[in-house]
Coordinates of all heavy atoms in Angstrom, one line a residue:
M335 N -117.9 -127.8 88.9 CA -119.3 -128.0 89.0 C -120.0 -126.5 88.9 O -119.4 -125.6 89.5 CB -119.7 -128.5 90.4 CG -121.1 -128.8 90.7 SD -121.7 -130.4 90.1 CE -120.7 -131.6 90.9
Q336 N -121.0 -126.5 88.2 CA -121.7 -125.2 88.1 C -123.1 -125.3 88.4 O -123.8 -126.4 88.2 CB -121.5 -124.6 86.7 CG -122.1 -125.3 85.6 CD -121.9 -124.6 84.2 OE1 -121.8 -123.4 84.2 NE2 -121.8 -125.4 83.2
Q337 N -123.7 -124.2 89.0 CA -125.1 -124.2 89.3 C -125.9 -123.3 88.3 O -125.4 -122.1 88.1 CB -125.3 -123.7 90.7 CG -126.8 -123.6 91.1 CD -126.9 -123.3 92.6 OE1 -126.4 -123.9 93.4 NE2 -127.8 -122.3 92.8
I338 N -126.9 -123.7 87.7 CA -127.7 -122.9 86.8 C -129.1 -122.8 87.4 O -129.7 -123.8 87.7 CB -127.8 -123.6 85.4 CG1 -126.4 -123.8 84.8 CG2 -128.7 -122.8 84.5 CD1 -126.4 -124.7 83.7
T339 N -129.6 -121.6 87.6 CA -130.9 -121.3 88.1 C -131.8 -120.7 87.0 O -131.4 -119.7 86.4 CB -130.9 -120.4 89.3 OG1 -130.0 -121.0 90.3 CG2 -132.3 -120.2 89.9
L340 N -132.9 -121.4 86.7 CA -133.8 -121.0 85.7 C -135.2 -120.5 86.4 O -135.7 -121.2 87.2 CB -134.2 -122.1 84.8 CG -133.0 -122.8 84.1 CD1 -133.5 -124.1 83.3 CD2 -132.4 -121.9 83.1
K341 N -135.7 -119.4 85.9 CA -137.0 -119.0 86.3 C -138.0 -119.7 85.3 O -137.9 -119.6 84.1 CB -137.2 -117.5 86.2 CG -136.3 -116.7 87.2 CD -136.8 -117.0 88.6 CE -136.0 -116.3 89.6 NZ -136.3 -116.6 91.0
I342 N -139.0 -120.4 85.9 CA -140.0 -121.1 85.1 C -141.4 -120.7 85.5 O -141.7 -120.9 86.7 CB -139.8 -122.6 85.2 CG1 -138.4 -123.0 84.8 CG2 -140.9 -123.3 84.4 CD1 -138.1 -124.4 84.8
D343 N -142.1 -120.1 84.6 CA -143.5 -119.7 84.9 C -144.4 -120.9 84.6 O -144.1 -121.7 83.7 CB -143.9 -118.6 84.0 CG -143.2 -117.3 84.4 OD1 -142.9 -117.1 85.5 OD2 -142.9 -116.5 83.4
G344 N -145.5 -121.0 85.3 CA -146.5 -122.0 85.0 C -146.5 -123.3 85.8 O -147.5 -124.1 85.7
M345 N -145.5 -123.5 86.7 CA -145.6 -124.7 87.5 C -146.6 -124.4 88.6 O -146.6 -123.4 89.3 CB -144.2 -125.0 88.2 CG -143.2 -125.6 87.2 SD -141.7 -126.2 88.1 CE -141.0 -124.6 88.7
M346 N -147.5 -125.4 88.8 CA -148.6 -125.2 89.8 C -148.5 -126.2 91.0 O -149.2 -126.0 91.9 CB -149.9 -125.3 89.1 CG -150.1 -124.3 87.9 SD -149.9 -122.7 88.5 CE -151.5 -122.0 88.3
C347 N -147.8 -127.3 90.8 CA -147.8 -128.3 91.8 C -146.6 -129.2 91.7 O -145.7 -129.0 90.9 CB -149.0 -129.2 91.6 SG -149.0 -130.1 90.1
G348 N -146.5 -130.1 92.6 CA -145.4 -131.0 92.7 C -145.2 -131.9 91.5 O -144.1 -132.3 91.1
M349 N -146.3 -132.3 90.8 CA -146.3 -133.0 89.6 C -145.6 -132.2 88.5 O -144.8 -132.7 87.7 CB -147.7 -133.4 89.1 CG -147.7 -134.4 87.9 SD -146.7 -135.9 88.3 CE -147.9 -136.9 89.1
C350 N -145.9 -130.9 88.4 CA -145.2 -130.0 87.4 C -143.7 -130.0 87.7 O -142.9 -130.1 86.8 CB -145.7 -128.6 87.6 SG -147.5 -128.4 87.2
E351 N -143.3 -130.0 89.0 CA -141.9 -130.0 89.3 C -141.2 -131.3 88.8 O -140.2 -131.3 88.2 CB -141.7 -130.0 90.8 CG -142.2 -128.7 91.5 CD -142.2 -128.7 92.9 OE1 -142.0 -129.8 93.6 OE2 -142.5 -127.7 93.5
S352 N -142.0 -132.4 89.0 CA -141.5 -133.7 88.6 C -141.3 -133.8 87.1 O -140.3 -134.4 86.5 CB -142.4 -134.9 89.0 OG -142.4 -134.9 90.4
H353 N -142.2 -133.2 86.3 CA -142.2 -133.2 84.8 C -140.9 -132.4 84.4 O -140.2 -132.9 83.5 CB -143.4 -132.7 84.2 CG -144.5 -133.7 84.3 ND1 -144.6 -134.8 83.6 CD2 -145.7 -133.6 85.0 CE1 -145.7 -135.5 83.9 NE2 -146.4 -134.8 84.7
I354 N -140.7 -131.3 85.0 CA -139.5 -130.5 84.6 C -138.3 -131.2 84.9 O -137.4 -131.3 84.0 CB -139.5 -129.1 85.3 CG1 -140.8 -128.3 84.9 CG2 -138.3 -128.4 85.1 CD1 -140.7 -127.7 83.5
N355 N -138.2 -131.8 86.1 CA -137.0 -132.5 86.5 C -136.7 -133.6 85.6 O -135.6 -133.8 85.1 CB -137.1 -133.0 87.9 CG -137.1 -131.9 88.9 OD1 -136.8 -130.7 88.7 ND2 -137.5 -132.2 90.1
E356 N -137.7 -134.4 85.3 CA -137.5 -135.6 84.4 C -137.1 -135.1 83.0 O -136.2 -135.8 82.4 CB -138.9 -136.4 84.4 CG -138.8 -137.6 83.5 CD -140.1 -138.4 83.5 OE1 -141.0 -138.2 84.4 OE2 -140.3 -139.1 82.5
S357 N -137.7 -134.1 82.5 CA -137.4 -133.6 81.1 C -135.9 -133.2 81.1 O -135.2 -133.5 80.1 CB -138.3 -132.5 80.8 OG -138.0 -132.0 79.5
I358 N -135.5 -132.5 82.0 CA -134.0 -132.1 82.0 C -133.1 -133.2 82.2 O -132.1 -133.4 81.4 CB -133.8 -131.0 83.2 CG1 -134.6 -129.7 82.8 CG2 -132.3 -130.8 83.4 CD1 -134.6 -128.7 83.8
R359 N -133.4 -134.2 83.0 CA -132.6 -135.4 83.2 C -132.5 -136.2 81.9 O -131.5 -136.8 81.7 CB -133.1 -136.3 84.3 CG -132.8 -135.8 85.7 CD -133.2 -136.8 86.8 NE -133.3 -136.2 88.1 CZ -134.4 -135.8 88.7 NH1 -135.5 -136.1 88.2 NH2 -134.3 -135.2 89.9
N360 N -133.6 -136.3 81.2 CA -133.7 -137.0 79.9 C -132.9 -136.4 78.8 O -132.5 -137.1 77.9 CB -135.1 -137.3 79.5 CG -135.8 -138.3 80.4 OD1 -135.2 -139.1 81.1 ND2 -137.1 -138.3 80.5
N361 N -132.7 -135.1 78.9 CA -132.1 -134.4 77.8 C -130.6 -133.9 78.0 O -130.0 -133.5 77.1 CB -133.0 -133.1 77.4 CG -134.2 -133.6 76.7 OD1 -134.2 -134.0 75.5 ND2 -135.3 -133.6 77.4
F362 N -130.2 -133.9 79.3 CA -128.9 -133.4 79.6 C -128.2 -134.3 80.7 O -128.9 -135.0 81.4 CB -129.0 -132.0 80.2 CG -129.6 -131.0 79.3 CD1 -131.0 -130.7 79.4 CD2 -128.9 -130.4 78.3 CE1 -131.6 -129.8 78.6 CE2 -129.5 -129.4 77.5 CZ -130.8 -129.1 77.6
S363 N -126.9 -134.3 80.7 CA -126.1 -134.9 81.7 C -125.9 -134.0 82.9 O -125.1 -133.1 82.8 CB -124.8 -135.4 81.2 OG -124.0 -136.0 82.1
V364 N -126.8 -134.2 83.9 CA -126.7 -133.3 85.1 C -126.5 -134.1 86.4 O -126.8 -135.3 86.4 CB -128.0 -132.5 85.3 CG1 -128.2 -131.6 84.1 CG2 -129.2 -133.3 85.5
K365 N -125.9 -133.5 87.3 CA -125.7 -134.2 88.6 C -126.9 -134.1 89.5 O -127.3 -135.1 90.2 CB -124.5 -133.5 89.4 CG -123.2 -133.8 88.8 CD -122.8 -135.2 88.9 CE -121.4 -135.4 88.4 NZ -121.0 -136.9 88.4
K366 N -127.6 -133.0 89.5 CA -128.8 -132.8 90.3 C -129.7 -131.8 89.7 O -129.2 -130.8 89.1 CB -128.4 -132.5 91.7 CG -129.6 -132.3 92.7 CD -129.1 -132.0 94.1 CE -130.2 -131.9 95.0 NZ -129.8 -131.6 96.4
V367 N -131.0 -132.0 89.7 CA -132.0 -131.0 89.3 C -133.1 -130.9 90.3 O -133.6 -131.9 90.7 CB -132.5 -131.2 87.9 CG1 -133.1 -132.6 87.7 CG2 -133.4 -130.1 87.4
T368 N -133.4 -129.7 90.7 CA -134.5 -129.5 91.7 C -135.4 -128.4 91.3 O -134.9 -127.3 91.0 CB -133.9 -129.2 93.1 OG1 -133.0 -130.2 93.5 CG2 -135.0 -129.1 94.2
S369 N -136.7 -128.6 91.3 CA -137.7 -127.6 90.8 C -138.5 -127.2 92.0 O -138.8 -128.1 92.8 CB -138.5 -128.1 89.7 OG -137.7 -128.3 88.6
S370 N -139.0 -126.0 92.1 CA -139.9 -125.5 93.1 C -141.0 -124.7 92.4 O -140.7 -123.6 91.9 CB -139.1 -124.7 94.1 OG -140.1 -124.0 95.0
H371 N -142.3 -125.2 92.6 CA -143.4 -124.4 92.0 C -143.6 -123.1 92.7 O -144.1 -122.2 92.3 CB -144.6 -125.3 91.8 CG -145.3 -125.6 93.0 ND1 -144.9 -126.7 93.8 CD2 -146.4 -125.1 93.7 CE1 -145.7 -126.7 94.9 NE2 -146.6 -125.8 94.8
T372 N -143.4 -123.2 94.1 CA -143.6 -122.0 95.0 C -142.6 -120.9 94.7 O -143.0 -119.7 94.7 CB -143.6 -122.4 96.4 OG1 -142.3 -123.0 96.7 CG2 -144.7 -123.3 96.8
K373 N -141.4 -121.2 94.3 CA -140.4 -120.2 94.0 C -140.4 -119.9 92.5 O -139.8 -118.9 92.0 CB -139.0 -120.8 94.3 CG -138.7 -120.9 95.8 CD -137.3 -121.4 96.1 CE -137.0 -121.5 97.5 NZ -135.7 -122.0 97.8
G374 N -141.0 -120.9 91.7 CA -141.0 -120.6 90.2 C -139.7 -120.8 89.6 O -139.3 -120.0 88.6
E375 N -138.9 -121.7 90.1 CA -137.5 -121.9 89.6 C -137.1 -123.4 89.6 O -137.6 -124.1 90.3 CB -136.5 -121.0 90.4 CG -136.3 -121.5 91.8 CD -135.3 -120.5 92.5 OE1 -135.1 -119.4 92.1 OE2 -134.6 -121.0 93.5
T376 N -136.0 -123.6 88.8 CA -135.4 -124.9 88.7 C -133.9 -124.6 88.8 O -133.4 -123.8 88.3 CB -135.7 -125.6 87.3 OG1 -137.1 -125.9 87.3 CG2 -134.8 -126.9 87.2
V377 N -133.3 -125.5 89.7 CA -131.8 -125.3 89.9 C -131.2 -126.6 89.5 O -131.6 -127.7 89.8 CB -131.5 -125.2 91.5 CG1 -130.0 -125.1 91.7 CG2 -132.2 -123.9 92.0
I378 N -130.2 -126.4 88.6 CA -129.5 -127.6 88.0 C -128.0 -127.5 88.4 O -127.4 -126.4 88.3 CB -129.5 -127.5 86.4 CG1 -130.9 -127.4 86.0 CG2 -128.7 -128.6 85.8 CD1 -131.1 -127.0 84.5
L379 N -127.5 -128.7 88.9 CA -126.0 -128.7 89.1 C -125.5 -129.7 88.0 O -125.9 -130.8 87.8 CB -125.8 -129.4 90.5 CG -126.2 -128.6 91.7 CD1 -126.0 -129.4 93.0 CD2 -125.5 -127.3 91.7
T380 N -124.4 -129.2 87.4 CA -123.9 -130.0 86.3 C -122.4 -129.7 86.3 O -121.8 -128.6 86.7 CB -124.5 -129.6 85.0 OG1 -123.9 -130.3 83.9 CG2 -124.3 -128.1 84.6
E381 N -121.6 -130.6 85.7 CA -120.2 -130.5 85.4 C -119.9 -130.0 84.0 O -118.8 -129.6 83.7 CB -119.4 -131.8 85.7 CG -119.5 -132.2 87.1 CD -118.7 -133.5 87.4 OE1 -118.3 -134.1 86.4 OE2 -118.5 -133.8 88.6
N382 N -121.0 -130.0 83.2 CA -120.8 -129.7 81.8 C -121.6 -128.4 81.4 O -122.6 -128.1 82.0 CB -121.4 -130.8 80.8 CG -120.7 -132.1 81.2 OD1 -119.6 -132.3 81.4 ND2 -121.6 -133.2 81.4
D383 N -121.2 -127.7 80.4 CA -121.9 -126.6 79.9 C -123.1 -127.1 79.2 O -123.0 -128.1 78.5 CB -121.1 -125.7 78.9 CG -120.0 -125.0 79.6 OD1 -120.1 -124.6 80.8 OD2 -119.0 -124.7 78.9
L384 N -124.3 -126.4 79.4 CA -125.5 -126.9 78.8 C -125.9 -126.0 77.7 O -125.6 -124.7 77.7 CB -126.7 -126.9 79.8 CG -126.5 -127.8 81.1 CD1 -127.7 -127.7 81.9 CD2 -126.1 -129.2 80.7
D385 N -126.4 -126.5 76.6 CA -126.9 -125.7 75.4 C -128.0 -124.9 75.8 O -129.1 -125.5 76.0 CB -127.1 -126.7 74.3 CG -127.6 -126.0 73.0 OD1 -128.0 -124.8 73.0 OD2 -127.6 -126.7 71.9
E386 N -127.9 -123.6 75.9 CA -129.0 -122.7 76.4 C -130.2 -122.8 75.5 O -131.3 -122.8 76.0 CB -128.5 -121.4 76.5 CG -129.4 -120.4 77.2 CD -128.8 -119.0 77.4 OE1 -127.6 -118.8 77.6 OE2 -129.7 -118.1 77.4
A387 N -130.0 -122.9 74.2 CA -131.2 -122.9 73.3 C -131.9 -124.2 73.5 O -133.2 -124.2 73.6 CB -130.7 -122.8 71.9
K388 N -131.2 -125.3 73.6 CA -131.9 -126.6 73.9 C -132.6 -126.6 75.3 O -133.6 -127.2 75.4 CB -130.9 -127.8 73.8 CG -131.5 -129.1 73.9 CD -130.5 -130.2 73.6 CE -131.2 -131.6 73.8 NZ -130.2 -132.7 73.7
L389 N -131.9 -126.0 76.2 CA -132.5 -125.9 77.6 C -133.8 -125.2 77.6 O -134.8 -125.6 78.2 CB -131.5 -125.3 78.5 CG -131.8 -125.4 80.0 CD1 -131.9 -126.8 80.5 CD2 -130.7 -124.6 80.8
K390 N -133.9 -124.1 76.9 CA -135.2 -123.3 76.8 C -136.3 -124.1 76.1 O -137.4 -124.0 76.5 CB -134.9 -122.0 76.0 CG -134.1 -121.0 76.8 CD -133.9 -119.8 76.1 CE -133.1 -118.8 76.9 NZ -132.9 -117.5 76.3
E391 N -135.9 -124.9 75.1 CA -136.9 -125.8 74.4 C -137.4 -126.9 75.3 O -138.5 -127.3 75.2 CB -136.3 -126.4 73.1 CG -136.0 -125.4 72.0 CD -135.2 -126.1 70.9 OE1 -135.1 -127.3 70.9 OE2 -134.8 -125.3 70.0
T392 N -136.5 -127.3 76.2 CA -136.9 -128.5 77.1 C -137.9 -128.2 78.1 O -138.8 -129.0 78.3 CB -135.6 -129.0 77.8 OG1 -134.6 -129.3 76.9 CG2 -135.9 -130.2 78.7
H393 N -138.0 -127.1 78.6 CA -138.9 -126.8 79.7 C -140.1 -126.1 79.0 O -141.1 -126.0 79.3 CB -138.4 -126.1 80.9 CG -138.0 -124.7 80.7 ND1 -136.7 -124.4 80.2 CD2 -138.6 -123.5 80.8 CE1 -136.6 -123.0 80.1 NE2 -137.7 -122.5 80.5

């Protein structure tokens, strides 16, 4: 299991967090994804390597 932490600018509220989480879940096989607009980051737990280029396009 690996943890990936992404810095994401522009999240302003809980709805933004939900959109990011949903987008990642729809495009990748992940165990857990959690976003925080106050921290400006998304944390992904996955058993698989993720395509970094595709990940950047997703959010």
Side-chain angles (χ1 to χ4, degrees):
M335 184 87 56
Q336 64 178 332
Q337 178 175 311
I338 301 167
T339 303
L340 304 171
K341 292 293 182 188
I342 300 180
D343 294 326
M345 286 192 292
M346 303 303 249
C347 63
M349 187 58 83
C350 296
E351 297 168 355
S352 295
H353 286 293
I354 295 288
N355 294 345
E356 183 179 338
S357 181
I358 291 172
R359 285 188 195 105
N360 288 338
N361 288 284
F362 301 96
S363 176
V364 299
K365 291 292 183 186
K366 184 177 180 181
V367 57
T368 307
S369 297
S370 170
H371 71 278
T372 56
K373 293 181 182 178
E375 69 181 23
T376 296
V377 178
I378 302 168
L379 293 178
T380 182
E381 292 181 348
N382 307 311
D383 289 333
L384 302 182
D385 181 344
E386 188 174 330
K388 185 176 177 185
L389 189 58
K390 288 180 181 180
E391 290 175 8
T392 302
H393 70 277

